[in-house]
Amino acid sequence: VERAWDFLDKRDFINTMKRFNQAWLLDPQNGDVYHGFALVVHQRDNDILEAERFFRLALSKPKVGVNAYVDYGRFLWLQSRYDESLVQLNKAIEVSSRARNACSNISFVYYKRGDFPQACKWAKAAKDNNDQLEPGFLEEMCRRAGVK
């Protein structure tokens, strides 16, 4: 599975799918495989329904990494499904308080909702967690919230 993620980072979808298929054949209970399928069909095909089906499969498996929750949460806010997104992102934090980019995605959901105090709070948590944040996002959310 590790090699598949490398191919996905390079947007080499042919080799990504080959690697995930191999991993699936070896261990169909590995949720990270379905997580990978979800990302590929979303990024490559923009197939929202199939991507969601794979995300749900991933999260139903006994062996799934915390990143599946984070990526599913991001996928959901991209569909403007903010409440559902927050559920998945908070699950990621329950699984691991240091889940990479969970806080930054939560902050972005609150930004999209216009809740700038919460966006500021979560952007600060994202910074403390070394999550990815757009340059100036934290400062802008806190400015809008009236927080220094």
Side-chain angles (χ1 to χ4, degrees):
V1 173
E2 294 304 318
R3 187 85 171 116
W5 296 113
D6 294 337
F7 286 117
L8 184 60
D9 288 342
K10 296 173 188 165
R11 298 187 61 83
D12 179 350
F13 298 122
I14 292 171
N15 283 309
T16 300
M17 286 303 278
K18 283 180 185 177
R19 297 293 184 190
F20 280 127
N21 276 316
Q22 290 170 342
W24 175 78
L25 288 169
L26 293 171
D27 184 5
Q29 294 304 307
N30 185 337
D32 290 333
V33 172
Y34 299 97
H35 172 208
F37 289 156
L39 293 175
V40 170
V41 299
H42 184 238
Q43 292 175 22
R44 181 190 67 193
D45 307 331
N46 198 31
D47 188 334
I48 303 302
L49 295 175
E50 191 69 357
E52 180 150 19
R53 185 177 77 79
F54 280 125
F55 273 122
R56 288 177 185 247
L57 271 169
L59 297 178
S60 75
K61 300 299 177 186
K63 294 185 280 183
V64 66
V66 68
N67 291 336
Y69 293 98
V70 176
D71 287 341
Y72 188 31
R74 181 177 188 281
F75 168 84
L76 290 166
W77 71 248
L78 286 170
Q79 314 310 312
S80 300
R81 294 165 57 189
Y82 304 128
D83 291 341
E84 294 169 88
S85 173
L86 288 174
V87 168
Q88 297 306 319
L89 294 166
N90 281 302
K91 281 183 186 177
I93 291 172
E94 287 174 23
V95 171
S96 171
S97 62
R98 305 281 301 162
R100 178 109 169 98
N101 292 325
C103 294
S104 61
N105 278 284
I106 291 172
S107 178
F108 199 76
V109 169
Y110 283 115
Y111 157 72
K112 295 293 278 182
R113 287 179 152 180
D115 185 341
F116 302 115
Q118 285 296 315
C120 171
K121 170 190 162 187
W122 284 99
K124 286 180 180 180
K127 181 181 179 194
D128 291 345
N129 197 47
N130 293 315
D131 288 2
Q132 291 178 319
L133 284 173
E134 292 292 321
F137 181 81
L138 167 62
E139 295 77 12
E140 180 63 16
M141 292 305 100
C142 293
R143 184 192 66 75
R144 290 184 184 194
V147 176
K148 292 186 179 191

